[in-house]
């Protein structure tokens, strides 16, 4: 007997065909990717997996933290605060208070104790192009107890100076810095305000304009001079440091020599001591493309306490002994309750001395190790429990044993 055809089978087939023909044109293709039917994997956090993850994290963070801490402690440096030199230093060398000195050396001795230093202040007549002027110098004698291997870097350090202030950050004109002769109206409408035009009312444009250029750090430092050179008849020996190569090479592309004529521009108000009477043929405006100290100053610091590279020596070791640095003391930090210092330091593969990255990694590694030990004790010793079948975590249990499948 022939099987009976199910009633409406032909109608169903025709209906499916018609429904496909009448489907909306913007319907996504019937593929696993477009219809979200792709296979997926979800990590099941078993006790063994959790313990393994925290063991790996603890090993990585503790190892890297120990390495960073070791590198930080291989750096040798000395920092001397000279903020109060004009006010407190005598006219002849006398003891510099030890709380103005911070040093990190592997070797120390009574002969070259880094915490024993001297300072004095002196007024010197300085010859500038086209004029002479009296300048206050702060002279500092300090000790280096061990030979330092290059690279030796010389930084200045400012405290409580907020280069990250919203108005200060924007107070410059990029086109002017790159060398374009920007007109006065554009400068007036720019973020350089209020340092835009000559405050004496001549109508000349300030170059470079803005608060950042006006407040540039203008103390100057000599290269350190070694006094009483050991195994030599010389009275002293200059440890030569260079002010070239101290800025990132790409920074030069942001600066250029100005296209202004001398009768169009005046220096910023705070540059008056360096450019007395304005820019002249004898004392022209600086070539910002070559002024790496200025370029470093315009790499604005994110924190109020910061260091900026002033000079360095990449080639020669710095001998142990007593050194002298002469500082032309121009930058007044007392007007904003700040402080200033200079730092002589070696560098490691991670840069100058900074213990905090290593400490942070060690803290995170310690937390991971603590949690690792806690989970081991909790899962395997204190409250052990049998792990359930993870196949039941799937909503439709595709991999569950057939005998355990739920019946409907």
């Amino acid at each position: 007997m022939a099987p009976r055809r199910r009633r409406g089978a032909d109608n169903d087939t025709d209906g499916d065909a018609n429904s496909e023909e009448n489907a909306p044109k913007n319907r996504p293709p019937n593929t696993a990717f477009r219809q979200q039917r792709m296979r997926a994997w979800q990590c099941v956090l078993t006790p063994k997996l959790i313990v393994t993850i925290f063991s790996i994290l603890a090993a990585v963070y503790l190892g890297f933290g120990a390495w960073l801490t070791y590198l930080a402690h291989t750096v040798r440096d000395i920092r001397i605060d000279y903020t109060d030199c004009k006010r407190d230093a005598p006219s002849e060398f006398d003891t510099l208070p030890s709380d103005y000195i911070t040093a990190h050396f592997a070797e120390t001795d009574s002969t070259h104790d880094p915490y024993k230093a001297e300072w004095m202040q002196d007024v010197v007549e300085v010859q500038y192009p086209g004029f002479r002027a009296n300048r206050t110098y702060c002279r500092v004698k300090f000790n280096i107890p061990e030979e330092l291997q290059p690279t030796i870097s010389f930084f200045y350090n400012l405290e409580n100076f907020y280069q990250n202030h919203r108005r200060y950050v924007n107070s410059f004109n990029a086109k002017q810095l790159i060398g374009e002769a920007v007109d006065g109206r554009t400068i007036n409408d720019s973020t350089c305000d209020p340092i835009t035009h000559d405050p004496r009312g001549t109508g000349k444009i300030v170059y470079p304009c803005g608060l950042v250029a006006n407040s540039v750090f203008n103390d100057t430092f000599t290269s350190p001079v070694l006094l009483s050179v050991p195994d030599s008849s010389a009275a002293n020996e200059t440890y030569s440091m260079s002010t070239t190569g101290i800025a990132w090479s790409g920074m030069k592309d942001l600066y250029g020599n100005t296209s202004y004529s001398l009768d169009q521009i005046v220096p910023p108000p705070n540059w008056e001591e360096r450019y007395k009477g304005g820019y002249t043929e004898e004392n022209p405006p600086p070539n910002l493309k070559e002024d790496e100290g200025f370029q470093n100053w315009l790499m604005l610091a994110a924190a109020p306490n910061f260091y900026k590279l002033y000079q360095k020596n990449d080639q020669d070791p710095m001998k142990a002994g007593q050194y002298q640095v002469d500082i032309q003391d121009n930058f007044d930090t007392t007007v904003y309750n700040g402080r200033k210092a200079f730092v002589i330091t070696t560098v490691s593969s991670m840069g100058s001395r900074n213990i905090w990255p290593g400490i942070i990694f060690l803290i995170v590694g310690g937390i991971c190790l603590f949690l690792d030990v806690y989970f081991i004790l909790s899962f395997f010793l204190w409250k052990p429990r049998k792990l359930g079948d993870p196949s039941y975590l799937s909503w439709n249990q595709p991999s569950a044993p057939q005998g355990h499948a739920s019946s409907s």
Side-chain angles (χ1 to χ4, degrees):
M1 184 176 179
R4 298 177 59 185
R5 173 176 286 184
R6 184 170 61 86
R7 183 181 299 174
D10 293 338
N11 294 337
D12 290 345
T13 304
D14 294 341
D16 291 342
N18 291 334
S19 62
E20 290 181 2
E21 292 176 0
N22 298 329
K25 293 182 178 180
N26 60 350
R27 178 180 178 180
N30 188 22
T31 63
F33 178 75
R34 299 296 294 274
Q35 296 295 337
Q36 300 183 14
R37 295 195 303 269
M38 295 185 68
R39 290 180 175 272
W41 175 80
Q42 182 177 2
C43 179
V44 179
L45 295 176
T46 62
K48 289 183 179 179
L49 180 59
I50 292 175
V51 168
T52 302
I53 290 173
F54 276 100
S55 297
I56 294 173
L57 290 176
V60 171
Y61 278 103
L62 289 174
F64 196 55
W67 181 62
L68 290 177
T69 303
Y70 166 76
L71 289 179
H73 283 85
T74 61
V75 173
R76 307 289 179 252
D77 63 5
I78 183 169
R79 177 185 181 275
I80 298 179
D81 186 320
Y82 66 97
T83 307
D84 302 323
C85 188
K86 276 187 179 181
R87 187 191 67 188
D88 297 339
S91 57
E92 295 182 355
F93 277 110
D94 199 358
T95 302
L96 175 71
S98 60
D99 55 351
Y100 288 175
I101 305 172
T102 305
H104 302 94
F105 293 100
E107 302 174 8
T108 56
D109 56 58
S110 57
T111 306
H112 297 131
D113 186 348
Y115 286 93
K116 291 182 179 178
E118 298 178 339
W119 65 350
M120 64 168 287
Q121 61 170 306
D122 191 13
V123 177
V124 178
E125 189 177 43
V126 179
Q127 177 66 56
Y128 292 98
F131 70 97
R132 300 177 69 88
N134 290 332
R135 296 288 181 262
T136 300
Y137 273 77
C138 181
R139 308 187 191 276
V140 180
K141 290 182 180 179
F142 57 94
N143 295 311
I144 301 293
E146 60 179 291
E147 183 174 276
L148 306 181
Q149 299 303 316
T151 298
I152 310 297
S153 299
F154 191 111
F155 292 87
Y156 61 86
N157 170 217
L158 294 181
E159 295 183 356
N160 202 35
F161 191 102
Y162 287 81
Q163 277 197 313
N164 61 348
H165 188 281
R166 177 181 58 82
R167 187 175 181 186
Y168 185 92
V169 165
N170 295 318
S171 189
F172 65 92
N173 186 281
K175 290 185 177 180
Q176 194 190 54
L177 295 178
I178 207 170
E180 294 185 19
V182 183
D183 63 89
R185 183 174 181 179
T186 302
I187 293 295
N188 254 343
D189 295 337
S190 72
T191 53
C192 282
D193 185 67
I195 311 296
T196 58
H197 287 79
D198 188 353
R200 293 169 294 189
T202 63
K204 294 183 179 181
I205 297 169
V206 172
Y207 173 81
C209 70
L211 296 170
V212 181
N214 185 57
S215 61
V216 68
F217 185 79
N218 59 352
D219 282 5
T220 63
F221 304 88
T222 62
S223 292
V225 176
L226 176 61
L227 309 175
S228 302
V229 184
D231 302 324
S232 174
S233 59
N236 56 61
E237 178 181 284
T238 300
Y239 181 73
S240 298
M241 306 188 85
S242 174
T243 57
T244 60
I246 60 173
W248 293 356
S249 58
M251 292 298 293
K252 289 189 175 184
D253 297 335
L254 304 177
Y255 301 89
N257 202 7
T258 183
S259 301
Y260 286 117
S261 61
L262 295 180
D263 60 352
Q264 291 179 298
I265 54 176
V266 293
N270 285 357
W271 293 22
E272 176 64 25
E273 291 190 355
R274 174 67 179 83
Y275 294 96
K276 188 174 182 179
Y279 296 128
T280 63
E281 293 289 345
E282 288 183 295
N283 199 11
N287 182 358
L288 300 183
K289 193 174 185 67
E290 305 301 328
D291 192 343
E292 297 187 35
F294 183 84
Q295 294 169 20
N296 279 347
W297 180 256
L298 263 78
M299 290 185 65
L300 304 180
N305 302 336
F306 57 85
Y307 298 81
K308 291 188 184 288
L309 185 59
Y310 184 86
Q311 55 189 354
K312 66 177 182 176
N313 185 313
D314 292 321
Q315 306 296 329
D316 307 314
M318 191 174 189
K319 299 176 183 177
Q322 186 180 49
Y323 286 83
Q324 179 175 325
V325 168
D326 295 339
I327 308 162
Q328 190 179 119
D329 198 348
N330 301 316
F331 194 83
D332 188 6
T333 58
T334 61
V335 295
Y336 61 90
N337 296 322
R339 300 199 69 82
K340 59 183 179 180
F342 69 85
V343 181
I344 297 176
T345 179
T346 61
V347 293
S348 68
S349 56
M350 295 299 292
S352 55
R353 184 183 180 88
N354 187 356
I355 64 172
W356 290 109
I359 290 176
I360 291 171
F361 272 91
L362 289 174
I363 290 174
V364 175
I367 293 173
C368 291
L369 181 62
F370 171 80
L371 293 175
D372 189 31
V373 173
Y374 171 78
F375 286 135
I376 290 174
L377 296 176
S378 178
F379 291 150
F380 302 109
L381 295 178
W382 293 339
K383 298 178 181 179
R385 56 183 295 184
K386 184 178 180 181
L387 184 65
D389 188 350
S391 64
Y392 285 102
L393 294 176
S394 176
W395 70 275
N396 59 357
Q397 302 175 0
S399 60
Q402 295 296 324
H404 295 283
S406 61
S407 60
S408 58

